[in-house]
Amino acid sequence: MKATSVRANNRRHAFEVGTACGRLVFPYVKADPPPTPEDAVTHAYVDDELDREGFTYTLASGVEGSVHVDQVLEYNRDPRYMRDQLLYRLTLEAERRLAASPLSKREVIRRLGTSPTQFYRLLDPTNYRKSIDGVLELLRVLECDVDLVVRP
């Protein structure tokens, strides 16, 4: 996801970041180096060198810092970002379980009732268009139980 705008809000002690999913805040204390009242933000801009996927800020002391948009999405618990992270972690676990399984890939594909192409799409950790259902089904074929834990 791309950042479309950024503004330093010294009253709230946070950056206000514009994205395709709306305006999100990112507190100064989460940035590295963190701006302080003694070393305030003098300039913040969406950085083309980060492919517009983050922003860079300059402090009064001349020190620069950068924040990737993923940090902002994670801090704000963006539902789409959280879904993608869950899908990524499930896919990596499926890859590990498949490597440790005595079942051949051909047998797993047969049990899933799918094509080899679709099977390899399920195993691609960068493919975020696949469904969580498909990865859960793959884990079931690999005889894994998946529990979802919700913490306060």
Side-chain angles (χ1 to χ4, degrees), residues 1 17 19 24-33 50 53-55 57 65-78 81-82 85:
M1 181 175 298
V17 183
T19 67
L24 303 171
V25 297
F26 189 74
Y28 287 169
V29 297
K30 294 287 186 179
D32 185 30
L50 295 173
E53 291 185 353
F55 64 91
Y57 58 94
S66 295
V67 176
H68 196 275
V69 74
D70 284 350
Q71 292 172 268
V72 178
L73 294 171
E74 183 175 355
Y75 174 78
N76 286 278
R77 299 291 209 193
D78 180 74
Y81 178 78
M82 300 307 289
Q85 290 303 303

Side-chain angles (χ1 to χ4, degrees), residues 41-52:
V41 176
T42 58
H43 184 62
Y45 59 95
V46 175
D47 199 337
D48 289 329
E49 289 186 20
L50 295 173
D51 195 27
R52 303 189 66 78

